[in-house]
Amino acid sequence: MRADYATIVDWVADGARVLDLGCGDGALLAFLESKRRAEGYGIEIDDAGVLACIRGGINVIQSDLERGLAGFDDAAFDVVILSQTLQAMRRIEAIVAEMLRVGREAIVTFPNFGHWSHRLQILHGRMPVSSSLPYQWYDTPNIHLCTVADFDAFLAERGFRVLDRVVLAKGRPVRVAPNLAGELAIYRFRRQ
Amino acid sequence: MPSFSETTAQAEHATVGDRSVGPVLPQVARFDTPLPLACGRTLAQYELAYETYGTLDAARSNAVLICHALNASHHVAGFYAEDPGNVGWWDNMVGPGKPLDTQRFFVVGVNNLGSCFGSTGPLSTNPETGRAWGSDFPLITVEDWVDAQAQLADRLGIRQWAAVMGGSLGGMQALDWAIRYPSRIRNALVIAAAPNLSAENIAFNEIARQAIMTDPDFHDGNFEAYDAKPRRGLRVARMIGHITYLSDEQMDAKFGRQLREGLNFSFAPEFQIESYLRHQGEKFAEYYDANTYLRITKALDYFDPATREDGDLARALAPATCRFLVISFSTDWRFPASRSREIVKALVRGRRDVSYTEIAAPHGHDAFLLDNPQYHAVVRAWFERIASEIGAAQ
């Protein structure tokens, strides 16, 4: 199970209506269904992910997130989740706006580029490679990496209200200097 | 027997595989309870031709209904012993070990009312006159078909289908089952379909109908009495239809601008695509009935469940309680993916269980009949889940 799932499940209410963007094989939705009786849909573009969801009995809709969430009505969901997908998306502002259009709340998780090991590697003149960023510069799908401080500023500039923020390292919450020590950032936010 | 259920795709791809259901026998169910039709008329009695594959389990929980599209039939899988080349139109989908596994499911293929392959239709005898119905056969709707299919389900002792599945016009029947018989269907597989026809779709159908109706051999639909058949009209209708089943890129890949011999400055078929279309038209004109073609295209044109709810498809689908699998194909321009997404959007709005996949396939609308690993894997996975829910045999 991915490190961010335990935190996400804590933030999802019983019986919540959930939309999971980039749901992969549907593991998070299956987890939320069993722990929270949550219901909803996953969106996935990849054929293998769609097939895995169907095998697992997860409602999945094959779609390209870059084209927005036109198939969904305003405020149709209690929470819209984007788990470790943000950094690979082209149009960040557009997808965040769409999340807050179709959902009351958004949960976003991403690898923290500000982690000390990444900073150290850049200091040594190389692009960072780590357990949270396991790609070389030439084959990475990640095109919009950011730090915890960057995302704080991004939300603040748009007037979004952060309801929760947890930064993990080795699966445990980091309380001191999260932007330096944290590997994985998890945010829950909404419009003001 | 002619290879009557042949589809455009089948013509080139059907072969008896090693996982065939084997030789099959068509059956006929006769109904004497009158069937009221949407047009206001009533069929006092009628027959439905059907085939079954696999075994109905003791709980009668593993039955799957296959609905056919424009020119297919109840001959879904297997072949006829006396005509081994006549392979069912969805034989690559239905059979032992195939995506819809007949070792686990009891599969029913039914020929729709108004068709010309065994069920009551324009070629049948009108009991009131003792002559063929011909042009007097009523116009039939998708809803009429589904009502008749429900009668067949009763006859077979099937209270609830594990799934109703169909492509194109067949997918519309699956949708209608979900809406009007919600307690009788647990899964709807709606493939390469649309919630209604677009103006362009209707336009193509109207050209096909005009081709038939303006053929001098049509005789207002009573051509049998004149010992004639509107072959020219049927040929053109088929050529038009055929174009809409293929994709531009597939046609280019297959035919391009290839010539049969050379340019002769004549109107004889010179390009390969011309002779191909003519060949398809000729075959079709031999085995298909003109009055049936007119009626089935009208049934397509009329289908529009949302009209019953002021155009609100989500409200039209509100009675449905089954799980939906909606599948579209990337190069289908007859029923493009956007039309399938309309169905999905309406189901999501109604908070229904639905999954949707858009299969990357070059074959246009015909893709739903063809082999495609992802497409077949998705359908297989869907039925495996159903099988595990009902505890169907491995």
Side-chain angles (χ1 to χ4, degrees), chain B residues 90 164-178 185 187-195 303 317 322-329 339-340 343-344 347 354-357 368 375 382:
Chain B
W90 225 349
V164 177
M165 172 181 186
S168 190
L169 178 55
M172 293 172 165
Q173 293 159 60
L175 266 185
D176 188 57
W177 266 100
I185 163 175
N187 288 270
L189 286 84
V190 180
I191 303 170
F303 182 72
L317 284 162
C322 65
R323 295 184 79 137
F324 288 84
L325 175 60
V326 180
I327 301 177
S328 69
F329 297 90
R339 302 309 317 274
S340 284
I343 298 171
V344 173
L347 289 168
V354 55
S355 284
Y356 168 69
T357 181
F368 86 87
Y375 168 39
W382 193 267

mmCIF file of all heavy atoms in Angstrom, chain B residues 90 164-178 185 187-195 303 317 322-329 339-340 343-344 347 354-357 368 375 382:
data_model
loop_
_atom_site.group_PDB
_atom_site.id
_atom_site.type_symbol
_atom_site.label_atom_id
_atom_site.label_comp_id
_atom_site.label_asym_id
_atom_site.label_seq_id
_atom_site.Cartn_x
_atom_site.Cartn_y
_atom_site.Cartn_z
ATOM 1 N N TRP B 90 -20.583 -13.316 -33.609
ATOM 2 C CA TRP B 90 -19.721 -12.898 -32.499
ATOM 3 C C TRP B 90 -18.961 -14.105 -31.949
ATOM 4 O O TRP B 90 -18.761 -14.246 -30.751
ATOM 5 C CB TRP B 90 -20.547 -12.228 -31.392
ATOM 6 C CG TRP B 90 -19.917 -10.962 -30.886
ATOM 7 C CD1 TRP B 90 -18.660 -10.510 -31.157
ATOM 8 C CD2 TRP B 90 -20.505 -9.991 -30.017
ATOM 9 N NE1 TRP B 90 -18.439 -9.307 -30.534
ATOM 10 C CE2 TRP B 90 -19.559 -8.967 -29.827
ATOM 11 C CE3 TRP B 90 -21.746 -9.879 -29.385
ATOM 12 C CZ2 TRP B 90 -19.802 -7.859 -29.018
ATOM 13 C CZ3 TRP B 90 -21.987 -8.775 -28.591
ATOM 14 C CH2 TRP B 90 -21.036 -7.774 -28.410
ATOM 15 N N VAL B 164 -27.001 -8.392 -20.131
ATOM 16 C CA VAL B 164 -27.481 -8.200 -21.491
ATOM 17 C C VAL B 164 -26.398 -7.406 -22.205
ATOM 18 O O VAL B 164 -25.901 -6.401 -21.682
ATOM 19 C CB VAL B 164 -28.829 -7.448 -21.537
ATOM 20 C CG1 VAL B 164 -29.258 -7.204 -22.976
ATOM 21 C CG2 VAL B 164 -29.899 -8.236 -20.790
ATOM 22 N N MET B 165 -26.013 -7.897 -23.374
ATOM 23 C CA MET B 165 -24.833 -7.351 -24.041
ATOM 24 C C MET B 165 -25.136 -7.135 -25.515
ATOM 25 O O MET B 165 -25.766 -7.976 -26.155
ATOM 26 C CB MET B 165 -23.704 -8.378 -23.883
ATOM 27 C CG MET B 165 -22.441 -8.115 -24.651
ATOM 28 S SD MET B 165 -21.290 -9.492 -24.289
ATOM 29 C CE MET B 165 -19.822 -8.918 -25.121
ATOM 30 N N GLY B 166 -24.678 -6.011 -26.034
ATOM 31 C CA GLY B 166 -24.849 -5.803 -27.460
ATOM 32 C C GLY B 166 -23.958 -4.694 -27.967
ATOM 33 O O GLY B 166 -23.541 -3.815 -27.201
ATOM 34 N N GLY B 167 -23.652 -4.746 -29.260
ATOM 35 C CA GLY B 167 -22.875 -3.698 -29.904
ATOM 36 C C GLY B 167 -23.769 -2.900 -30.829
ATOM 37 O O GLY B 167 -24.730 -3.435 -31.393
ATOM 38 N N SER B 168 -23.498 -1.597 -30.953
ATOM 39 C CA SER B 168 -24.235 -0.744 -31.878
ATOM 40 C C SER B 168 -25.720 -0.748 -31.508
ATOM 41 O O SER B 168 -26.077 -0.488 -30.354
ATOM 42 C CB SER B 168 -23.997 -1.269 -33.299
ATOM 43 O OG SER B 168 -24.487 -0.383 -34.261
ATOM 44 N N LEU B 169 -26.587 -1.079 -32.442
ATOM 45 C CA LEU B 169 -28.019 -1.177 -32.144
ATOM 46 C C LEU B 169 -28.278 -2.204 -31.028
ATOM 47 O O LEU B 169 -29.235 -2.068 -30.257
ATOM 48 C CB LEU B 169 -28.749 -1.568 -33.429
ATOM 49 C CG LEU B 169 -30.246 -1.798 -33.414
ATOM 50 C CD1 LEU B 169 -30.994 -0.602 -32.859
ATOM 51 C CD2 LEU B 169 -30.738 -2.101 -34.827
ATOM 52 N N GLY B 170 -27.419 -3.197 -30.929
ATOM 53 C CA GLY B 170 -27.538 -4.174 -29.839
ATOM 54 C C GLY B 170 -27.300 -3.528 -28.481
ATOM 55 O O GLY B 170 -27.925 -3.886 -27.477
ATOM 56 N N GLY B 171 -26.380 -2.553 -28.445
ATOM 57 C CA GLY B 171 -26.118 -1.828 -27.204
ATOM 58 C C GLY B 171 -27.321 -0.999 -26.771
ATOM 59 O O GLY B 171 -27.575 -0.812 -25.580
ATOM 60 N N MET B 172 -28.063 -0.491 -27.774
ATOM 61 C CA MET B 172 -29.283 0.262 -27.454
ATOM 62 C C MET B 172 -30.308 -0.646 -26.779
ATOM 63 O O MET B 172 -31.020 -0.225 -25.859
ATOM 64 C CB MET B 172 -29.871 0.871 -28.723
ATOM 65 C CG MET B 172 -28.990 1.962 -29.332
ATOM 66 S SD MET B 172 -29.627 2.465 -30.940
ATOM 67 C CE MET B 172 -28.710 3.998 -31.196
ATOM 68 N N GLN B 173 -30.380 -1.887 -27.232
ATOM 69 C CA GLN B 173 -31.303 -2.837 -26.592
ATOM 70 C C GLN B 173 -30.877 -3.117 -25.155
ATOM 71 O O GLN B 173 -31.714 -3.211 -24.253
ATOM 72 C CB GLN B 173 -31.373 -4.127 -27.408
ATOM 73 C CG GLN B 173 -32.020 -3.947 -28.768
ATOM 74 C CD GLN B 173 -31.650 -5.053 -29.748
ATOM 75 O OE1 GLN B 173 -31.907 -6.222 -29.509
ATOM 76 N NE2 GLN B 173 -31.036 -4.674 -30.856
ATOM 77 N N ALA B 174 -29.571 -3.231 -24.939
ATOM 78 C CA ALA B 174 -29.086 -3.447 -23.575
ATOM 79 C C ALA B 174 -29.473 -2.257 -22.686
ATOM 80 O O ALA B 174 -29.894 -2.421 -21.535
ATOM 81 C CB ALA B 174 -27.571 -3.656 -23.580
ATOM 82 N N LEU B 175 -29.331 -1.039 -23.239
ATOM 83 C CA LEU B 175 -29.732 0.167 -22.498
ATOM 84 C C LEU B 175 -31.221 0.109 -22.152
ATOM 85 O O LEU B 175 -31.633 0.418 -21.028
ATOM 86 C CB LEU B 175 -29.495 1.416 -23.339
ATOM 87 C CG LEU B 175 -28.197 2.190 -23.209
ATOM 88 C CD1 LEU B 175 -28.277 3.441 -24.073
ATOM 89 C CD2 LEU B 175 -27.900 2.569 -21.769
ATOM 90 N N ASP B 176 -32.020 -0.281 -23.136
ATOM 91 C CA ASP B 176 -33.462 -0.316 -22.909
ATOM 92 C C ASP B 176 -33.829 -1.364 -21.864
ATOM 93 O O ASP B 176 -34.719 -1.115 -21.024
ATOM 94 C CB ASP B 176 -34.200 -0.580 -24.227
ATOM 95 C CG ASP B 176 -35.706 -0.432 -24.056
ATOM 96 O OD1 ASP B 176 -36.140 0.656 -23.623
ATOM 97 O OD2 ASP B 176 -36.450 -1.396 -24.314
ATOM 98 N N TRP B 177 -33.164 -2.506 -21.903
ATOM 99 C CA TRP B 177 -33.384 -3.508 -20.853
ATOM 100 C C TRP B 177 -33.144 -2.898 -19.471
ATOM 101 O O TRP B 177 -33.921 -3.085 -18.543
ATOM 102 C CB TRP B 177 -32.434 -4.701 -21.043
ATOM 103 C CG TRP B 177 -33.007 -5.843 -21.811
ATOM 104 C CD1 TRP B 177 -32.789 -6.137 -23.134
ATOM 105 C CD2 TRP B 177 -33.888 -6.862 -21.311
ATOM 106 N NE1 TRP B 177 -33.486 -7.270 -23.477
ATOM 107 C CE2 TRP B 177 -34.164 -7.736 -22.388
ATOM 108 C CE3 TRP B 177 -34.474 -7.128 -20.068
ATOM 109 C CZ2 TRP B 177 -34.991 -8.847 -22.257
ATOM 110 C CZ3 TRP B 177 -35.299 -8.227 -19.940
ATOM 111 C CH2 TRP B 177 -35.554 -9.078 -21.029
ATOM 112 N N ALA B 178 -32.024 -2.163 -19.372
ATOM 113 C CA ALA B 178 -31.643 -1.589 -18.080
ATOM 114 C C ALA B 178 -32.687 -0.594 -17.585
ATOM 115 O O ALA B 178 -32.974 -0.495 -16.393
ATOM 116 C CB ALA B 178 -30.278 -0.917 -18.187
ATOM 117 N N ILE B 185 -32.135 -7.517 -14.958
ATOM 118 C CA ILE B 185 -30.796 -7.429 -15.561
ATOM 119 C C ILE B 185 -29.802 -6.945 -14.505
ATOM 120 O O ILE B 185 -30.046 -5.959 -13.824
ATOM 121 C CB ILE B 185 -30.842 -6.514 -16.808
ATOM 122 C CG1 ILE B 185 -29.448 -6.040 -17.230
ATOM 123 C CG2 ILE B 185 -31.760 -5.324 -16.633
ATOM 124 C CD1 ILE B 185 -29.451 -5.234 -18.516
ATOM 125 N N ASN B 187 -26.295 -6.748 -15.243
ATOM 126 C CA ASN B 187 -25.206 -6.042 -15.918
ATOM 127 C C ASN B 187 -25.641 -5.694 -17.334
ATOM 128 O O ASN B 187 -26.271 -6.512 -17.997
ATOM 129 C CB ASN B 187 -23.948 -6.925 -16.019
ATOM 130 C CG ASN B 187 -23.268 -7.113 -14.675
ATOM 131 O OD1 ASN B 187 -22.397 -6.344 -14.297
ATOM 132 N ND2 ASN B 187 -23.674 -8.149 -13.958
ATOM 133 N N ALA B 188 -25.272 -4.503 -17.772
ATOM 134 C CA ALA B 188 -25.522 -4.110 -19.156
ATOM 135 C C ALA B 188 -24.174 -3.794 -19.806
ATOM 136 O O ALA B 188 -23.415 -2.965 -19.280
ATOM 137 C CB ALA B 188 -26.437 -2.892 -19.220
ATOM 138 N N LEU B 189 -23.875 -4.470 -20.910
ATOM 139 C CA LEU B 189 -22.663 -4.166 -21.664
ATOM 140 C C LEU B 189 -23.083 -3.432 -22.929
ATOM 141 O O LEU B 189 -23.695 -4.015 -23.823
ATOM 142 C CB LEU B 189 -21.880 -5.439 -22.001
ATOM 143 C CG LEU B 189 -21.139 -6.076 -20.810
ATOM 144 C CD1 LEU B 189 -22.079 -6.972 -20.016
ATOM 145 C CD2 LEU B 189 -19.925 -6.863 -21.270
ATOM 146 N N VAL B 190 -22.772 -2.148 -22.950
ATOM 147 C CA VAL B 190 -23.241 -1.257 -24.015
ATOM 148 C C VAL B 190 -22.026 -0.873 -24.855
ATOM 149 O O VAL B 190 -21.192 -0.067 -24.434
ATOM 150 C CB VAL B 190 -23.917 -0.011 -23.406
ATOM 151 C CG1 VAL B 190 -24.407 0.923 -24.496
ATOM 152 C CG2 VAL B 190 -25.058 -0.422 -22.482
ATOM 153 N N ILE B 191 -21.922 -1.470 -26.033
ATOM 154 C CA ILE B 191 -20.674 -1.411 -26.794
ATOM 155 C C ILE B 191 -20.901 -0.683 -28.123
ATOM 156 O O ILE B 191 -21.852 -0.993 -28.849
ATOM 157 C CB ILE B 191 -20.150 -2.837 -27.049
ATOM 158 C CG1 ILE B 191 -19.953 -3.568 -25.712
ATOM 159 C CG2 ILE B 191 -18.864 -2.810 -27.851
ATOM 160 C CD1 ILE B 191 -19.667 -5.049 -25.853
ATOM 161 N N ALA B 192 -20.019 0.264 -28.421
ATOM 162 C CA ALA B 192 -20.085 0.998 -29.704
ATOM 163 C C ALA B 192 -21.498 1.492 -29.981
ATOM 164 O O ALA B 192 -22.011 1.365 -31.089
ATOM 165 C CB ALA B 192 -19.582 0.124 -30.855
ATOM 166 N N ALA B 193 -22.122 2.041 -28.969
ATOM 167 C CA ALA B 193 -23.520 2.450 -29.090
ATOM 168 C C ALA B 193 -23.650 3.962 -28.908
ATOM 169 O O ALA B 193 -22.654 4.690 -28.845
ATOM 170 C CB ALA B 193 -24.379 1.710 -28.071
ATOM 171 N N ALA B 194 -24.884 4.411 -28.831
ATOM 172 C CA ALA B 194 -25.176 5.834 -28.638
ATOM 173 C C ALA B 194 -26.532 5.931 -27.952
ATOM 174 O O ALA B 194 -27.352 5.026 -28.074
ATOM 175 C CB ALA B 194 -25.214 6.560 -29.979
ATOM 176 N N PRO B 195 -26.773 7.027 -27.245
ATOM 177 C CA PRO B 195 -28.080 7.169 -26.579
ATOM 178 C C PRO B 195 -29.195 7.483 -27.565
ATOM 179 O O PRO B 195 -30.368 7.347 -27.218
ATOM 180 C CB PRO B 195 -27.866 8.325 -25.605
ATOM 181 C CG PRO B 195 -26.726 9.106 -26.170
ATOM 182 C CD PRO B 195 -25.865 8.139 -26.916
ATOM 183 N N PHE B 303 -35.024 5.301 -31.731
ATOM 184 C CA PHE B 303 -34.553 5.049 -30.360
ATOM 185 C C PHE B 303 -34.032 6.333 -29.720
ATOM 186 O O PHE B 303 -33.138 6.995 -30.246
ATOM 187 C CB PHE B 303 -33.443 3.991 -30.361
ATOM 188 C CG PHE B 303 -32.951 3.666 -28.985
ATOM 189 C CD1 PHE B 303 -33.728 2.930 -28.098
ATOM 190 C CD2 PHE B 303 -31.699 4.101 -28.548
ATOM 191 C CE1 PHE B 303 -33.286 2.637 -26.818
ATOM 192 C CE2 PHE B 303 -31.246 3.809 -27.265
ATOM 193 C CZ PHE B 303 -32.041 3.075 -26.405
ATOM 194 N N LEU B 317 -32.379 7.245 -17.451
ATOM 195 C CA LEU B 317 -31.643 6.088 -16.941
ATOM 196 C C LEU B 317 -31.870 5.862 -15.446
ATOM 197 O O LEU B 317 -31.379 4.882 -14.886
ATOM 198 C CB LEU B 317 -30.139 6.264 -17.218
ATOM 199 C CG LEU B 317 -29.704 6.021 -18.667
ATOM 200 C CD1 LEU B 317 -28.334 6.625 -18.932
ATOM 201 C CD2 LEU B 317 -29.694 4.528 -18.980
ATOM 202 N N CYS B 322 -28.689 -1.814 -12.662
ATOM 203 C CA CYS B 322 -27.616 -2.761 -12.972
ATOM 204 C C CYS B 322 -26.272 -2.042 -13.034
ATOM 205 O O CYS B 322 -26.196 -0.820 -13.003
ATOM 206 C CB CYS B 322 -27.894 -3.449 -14.311
ATOM 207 S SG CYS B 322 -27.866 -2.328 -15.716
ATOM 208 N N ARG B 323 -25.210 -2.833 -13.128
ATOM 209 C CA ARG B 323 -23.883 -2.270 -13.395
ATOM 210 C C ARG B 323 -23.703 -2.143 -14.891
ATOM 211 O O ARG B 323 -24.105 -3.018 -15.647
ATOM 212 C CB ARG B 323 -22.792 -3.196 -12.843
ATOM 213 C CG ARG B 323 -22.810 -3.334 -11.347
ATOM 214 C CD ARG B 323 -21.654 -4.187 -10.887
ATOM 215 N NE ARG B 323 -20.434 -3.389 -10.865
ATOM 216 C CZ ARG B 323 -19.540 -3.440 -9.861
ATOM 217 N NH1 ARG B 323 -19.733 -4.239 -8.839
ATOM 218 N NH2 ARG B 323 -18.471 -2.693 -9.902
ATOM 219 N N PHE B 324 -23.054 -1.068 -15.287
ATOM 220 C CA PHE B 324 -22.864 -0.815 -16.720
ATOM 221 C C PHE B 324 -21.389 -0.911 -17.099
ATOM 222 O O PHE B 324 -20.524 -0.388 -16.374
ATOM 223 C CB PHE B 324 -23.336 0.597 -17.085
ATOM 224 C CG PHE B 324 -24.829 0.767 -17.078
ATOM 225 C CD1 PHE B 324 -25.499 1.040 -15.895
ATOM 226 C CD2 PHE B 324 -25.561 0.656 -18.249
ATOM 227 C CE1 PHE B 324 -26.879 1.203 -15.877
ATOM 228 C CE2 PHE B 324 -26.940 0.818 -18.241
ATOM 229 C CZ PHE B 324 -27.604 1.095 -17.054
ATOM 230 N N LEU B 325 -21.136 -1.538 -18.229
ATOM 231 C CA LEU B 325 -19.837 -1.433 -18.878
ATOM 232 C C LEU B 325 -20.086 -0.804 -20.244
ATOM 233 O O LEU B 325 -20.815 -1.356 -21.069
ATOM 234 C CB LEU B 325 -19.176 -2.806 -19.044
ATOM 235 C CG LEU B 325 -17.852 -2.803 -19.818
ATOM 236 C CD1 LEU B 325 -16.800 -1.936 -19.125
ATOM 237 C CD2 LEU B 325 -17.312 -4.225 -20.003
ATOM 238 N N VAL B 326 -19.513 0.367 -20.448
ATOM 239 C CA VAL B 326 -19.679 1.093 -21.709
ATOM 240 C C VAL B 326 -18.332 1.081 -22.434
ATOM 241 O O VAL B 326 -17.306 1.406 -21.830
ATOM 242 C CB VAL B 326 -20.157 2.540 -21.462
ATOM 243 C CG1 VAL B 326 -20.315 3.289 -22.776
ATOM 244 C CG2 VAL B 326 -21.468 2.540 -20.670
ATOM 245 N N ILE B 327 -18.355 0.676 -23.684
ATOM 246 C CA ILE B 327 -17.115 0.569 -24.454
ATOM 247 C C ILE B 327 -17.278 1.305 -25.781
ATOM 248 O O ILE B 327 -18.292 1.143 -26.466
ATOM 249 C CB ILE B 327 -16.756 -0.913 -24.737
ATOM 250 C CG1 ILE B 327 -16.595 -1.689 -23.418
ATOM 251 C CG2 ILE B 327 -15.495 -1.021 -25.577
ATOM 252 C CD1 ILE B 327 -16.300 -3.183 -23.606
ATOM 253 N N SER B 328 -16.273 2.117 -26.118
ATOM 254 C CA SER B 328 -16.278 2.768 -27.435
ATOM 255 C C SER B 328 -14.951 2.485 -28.122
ATOM 256 O O SER B 328 -14.022 1.957 -27.504
ATOM 257 C CB SER B 328 -16.485 4.278 -27.286
ATOM 258 O OG SER B 328 -15.334 4.857 -26.693
ATOM 259 N N PHE B 329 -14.875 2.839 -29.391
ATOM 260 C CA PHE B 329 -13.661 2.583 -30.167
ATOM 261 C C PHE B 329 -13.179 3.882 -30.800
ATOM 262 O O PHE B 329 -13.977 4.664 -31.328
ATOM 263 C CB PHE B 329 -13.931 1.519 -31.233
ATOM 264 C CG PHE B 329 -14.291 0.198 -30.619
ATOM 265 C CD1 PHE B 329 -15.618 -0.107 -30.349
ATOM 266 C CD2 PHE B 329 -13.309 -0.703 -30.248
ATOM 267 C CE1 PHE B 329 -15.959 -1.303 -29.737
ATOM 268 C CE2 PHE B 329 -13.636 -1.900 -29.641
ATOM 269 C CZ PHE B 329 -14.964 -2.206 -29.384
ATOM 270 N N ARG B 339 -20.377 9.910 -28.027
ATOM 271 C CA ARG B 339 -21.746 9.459 -27.774
ATOM 272 C C ARG B 339 -21.789 8.486 -26.589
ATOM 273 O O ARG B 339 -22.725 8.513 -25.794
ATOM 274 C CB ARG B 339 -22.347 8.784 -29.021
ATOM 275 C CG ARG B 339 -22.392 9.625 -30.281
ATOM 276 C CD ARG B 339 -23.023 11.005 -30.152
ATOM 277 N NE ARG B 339 -24.234 11.125 -29.383
ATOM 278 C CZ ARG B 339 -25.483 10.933 -29.837
ATOM 279 N NH1 ARG B 339 -25.672 10.580 -31.083
ATOM 280 N NH2 ARG B 339 -26.518 11.113 -29.049
ATOM 281 N N SER B 340 -20.771 7.628 -26.504
ATOM 282 C CA SER B 340 -20.699 6.722 -25.352
ATOM 283 C C SER B 340 -20.482 7.516 -24.073
ATOM 284 O O SER B 340 -21.032 7.188 -23.021
ATOM 285 C CB SER B 340 -19.565 5.703 -25.530
ATOM 286 O OG SER B 340 -19.946 4.702 -26.450
ATOM 287 N N ILE B 343 -23.572 8.684 -22.473
ATOM 288 C CA ILE B 343 -24.227 7.655 -21.655
ATOM 289 C C ILE B 343 -23.556 7.593 -20.282
ATOM 290 O O ILE B 343 -24.219 7.569 -19.242
ATOM 291 C CB ILE B 343 -24.155 6.279 -22.357
ATOM 292 C CG1 ILE B 343 -24.897 6.318 -23.702
ATOM 293 C CG2 ILE B 343 -24.708 5.180 -21.451
ATOM 294 C CD1 ILE B 343 -24.702 5.068 -24.558
ATOM 295 N N VAL B 344 -22.218 7.611 -20.309
ATOM 296 C CA VAL B 344 -21.465 7.516 -19.050
ATOM 297 C C VAL B 344 -21.772 8.716 -18.160
ATOM 298 O O VAL B 344 -22.015 8.571 -16.953
ATOM 299 C CB VAL B 344 -19.950 7.418 -19.342
ATOM 300 C CG1 VAL B 344 -19.152 7.482 -18.055
ATOM 301 C CG2 VAL B 344 -19.642 6.135 -20.101
ATOM 302 N N LEU B 347 -25.033 8.349 -16.512
ATOM 303 C CA LEU B 347 -25.016 7.324 -15.461
ATOM 304 C C LEU B 347 -24.291 7.833 -14.213
ATOM 305 O O LEU B 347 -24.698 7.561 -13.088
ATOM 306 C CB LEU B 347 -24.357 6.040 -15.983
ATOM 307 C CG LEU B 347 -25.173 5.262 -17.017
ATOM 308 C CD1 LEU B 347 -24.326 4.185 -17.689
ATOM 309 C CD2 LEU B 347 -26.405 4.629 -16.350
ATOM 310 N N VAL B 354 -20.814 2.344 -13.077
ATOM 311 C CA VAL B 354 -20.468 2.306 -14.500
ATOM 312 C C VAL B 354 -18.951 2.334 -14.664
ATOM 313 O O VAL B 354 -18.249 3.028 -13.929
ATOM 314 C CB VAL B 354 -21.115 3.486 -15.281
ATOM 315 C CG1 VAL B 354 -20.770 4.830 -14.673
ATOM 316 C CG2 VAL B 354 -20.724 3.441 -16.756
ATOM 317 N N SER B 355 -18.480 1.532 -15.596
ATOM 318 C CA SER B 355 -17.108 1.643 -16.049
ATOM 319 C C SER B 355 -17.127 1.920 -17.544
ATOM 320 O O SER B 355 -18.040 1.502 -18.249
ATOM 321 C CB SER B 355 -16.316 0.358 -15.764
ATOM 322 O OG SER B 355 -15.987 0.292 -14.397
ATOM 323 N N TYR B 356 -16.101 2.651 -17.971
ATOM 324 C CA TYR B 356 -16.042 3.049 -19.376
ATOM 325 C C TYR B 356 -14.631 2.894 -19.899
ATOM 326 O O TYR B 356 -13.666 3.280 -19.220
ATOM 327 C CB TYR B 356 -16.465 4.518 -19.533
ATOM 328 C CG TYR B 356 -16.161 5.094 -20.894
ATOM 329 C CD1 TYR B 356 -16.863 4.664 -22.011
ATOM 330 C CD2 TYR B 356 -15.159 6.046 -21.071
ATOM 331 C CE1 TYR B 356 -16.579 5.177 -23.271
ATOM 332 C CE2 TYR B 356 -14.873 6.568 -22.318
ATOM 333 C CZ TYR B 356 -15.591 6.127 -23.418
ATOM 334 O OH TYR B 356 -15.297 6.634 -24.655
ATOM 335 N N THR B 357 -14.519 2.313 -21.075
ATOM 336 C CA THR B 357 -13.206 2.259 -21.699
ATOM 337 C C THR B 357 -13.319 2.617 -23.166
ATOM 338 O O THR B 357 -14.311 2.298 -23.825
ATOM 339 C CB THR B 357 -12.521 0.887 -21.505
ATOM 340 O OG1 THR B 357 -11.235 0.925 -22.118
ATOM 341 C CG2 THR B 357 -13.330 -0.239 -22.116
ATOM 342 N N PHE B 368 -16.044 -3.405 -32.963
ATOM 343 C CA PHE B 368 -16.689 -4.159 -31.886
ATOM 344 C C PHE B 368 -16.839 -5.639 -32.225
ATOM 345 O O PHE B 368 -17.056 -6.461 -31.355
ATOM 346 C CB PHE B 368 -18.026 -3.514 -31.487
ATOM 347 C CG PHE B 368 -19.245 -3.913 -32.281
ATOM 348 C CD1 PHE B 368 -19.992 -5.040 -31.934
ATOM 349 C CD2 PHE B 368 -19.674 -3.145 -33.347
ATOM 350 C CE1 PHE B 368 -21.130 -5.385 -32.648
ATOM 351 C CE2 PHE B 368 -20.806 -3.484 -34.059
ATOM 352 C CZ PHE B 368 -21.536 -4.605 -33.718
ATOM 353 N N TYR B 375 -9.768 -4.904 -25.663
ATOM 354 C CA TYR B 375 -11.236 -5.009 -25.693
ATOM 355 C C TYR B 375 -11.676 -6.356 -25.132
ATOM 356 O O TYR B 375 -12.520 -6.427 -24.214
ATOM 357 C CB TYR B 375 -11.675 -4.823 -27.144
ATOM 358 C CG TYR B 375 -13.094 -5.151 -27.512
ATOM 359 C CD1 TYR B 375 -14.160 -4.854 -26.677
ATOM 360 C CD2 TYR B 375 -13.377 -5.733 -28.750
ATOM 361 C CE1 TYR B 375 -15.475 -5.139 -27.071
ATOM 362 C CE2 TYR B 375 -14.669 -6.015 -29.146
ATOM 363 C CZ TYR B 375 -15.712 -5.725 -28.301
ATOM 364 O OH TYR B 375 -16.996 -6.001 -28.683
ATOM 365 N N TRP B 382 -14.774 -8.475 -17.038
ATOM 366 C CA TRP B 382 -16.126 -8.136 -16.579
ATOM 367 C C TRP B 382 -16.918 -9.412 -16.283
ATOM 368 O O TRP B 382 -17.559 -9.538 -15.234
ATOM 369 C CB TRP B 382 -16.826 -7.279 -17.636
ATOM 370 C CG TRP B 382 -18.078 -6.634 -17.135
ATOM 371 C CD1 TRP B 382 -19.351 -7.106 -17.231
ATOM 372 C CD2 TRP B 382 -18.176 -5.389 -16.441
ATOM 373 N NE1 TRP B 382 -20.233 -6.242 -16.647
ATOM 374 C CE2 TRP B 382 -19.542 -5.180 -16.157
ATOM 375 C CE3 TRP B 382 -17.234 -4.443 -16.029
ATOM 376 C CZ2 TRP B 382 -19.987 -4.047 -15.474
ATOM 377 C CZ3 TRP B 382 -17.690 -3.317 -15.375
ATOM 378 C CH2 TRP B 382 -19.047 -3.127 -15.095
#
